[in-house]
Amino acid sequence: MRRRAVDRASGPGPVCRYRSGYQPFANHTAVAANESFKAQKMLTSQEWKKMYSDGTVTNWLQQSTDFFMANAGVKDFTPASKYFDPGLYLKTIA
């Protein structure tokens, strides 16, 4: 059995190479990378605090739950408000 090579020099976590010269982003252009970065949101702790406080984060989690449960055909599932406690973050960031 052949073992996979692990290259730890290219980042914080191991990068597994299945074959010599494996380059996972070789075809990823700078334009595509810039578009990916534009799609992300970077928020300050104070912005997160507001969204945790006003229920925005819980609503985002509920939207994800609704989507995945609907696609899985699950009718009876736990709502985000029951499995997510924003108070943990709010106590920390206070």
Side-chain angles (χ1 to χ4, degrees):
M1 182 161 91
R2 189 171 178 197
R3 293 182 171 260
R4 291 182 285 187
V6 177
D7 175 7
R8 294 185 185 272
S10 62
V15 176
C16 296
R17 293 181 293 169
Y18 294 96
R19 63 188 182 278
S20 179
Y22 177 65
Q23 296 176 332
F25 300 105
N27 296 323
H28 194 72
T29 66
V31 171
N34 285 333
E35 288 300 313
S36 295
F37 285 123
K38 284 186 214 173
Q40 72 179 349
K41 279 188 177 180
M42 302 298 283
L43 304 170
T44 66
S45 294
Q46 290 307 310
E47 290 169 317
W48 277 113
K49 182 178 180 179
K50 179 185 176 298
M51 290 188 287
Y52 270 71
S53 296
D54 70 10
T56 299
V57 175
T58 305
N59 288 335
W60 287 341
L61 290 170
Q62 188 60 54
Q63 289 171 349
S64 294
T65 299
D66 292 343
F67 173 80
F68 287 109
M69 294 301 104
N71 285 304
V74 177
K75 302 221 184 305
D76 186 28
F77 55 88
T78 305
S81 60
K82 299 279 187 196
Y83 68 76
F84 177 68
D85 180 8
L88 297 172
Y89 178 76
L90 293 171
K91 286 178 193 171
T92 303
I93 199 66

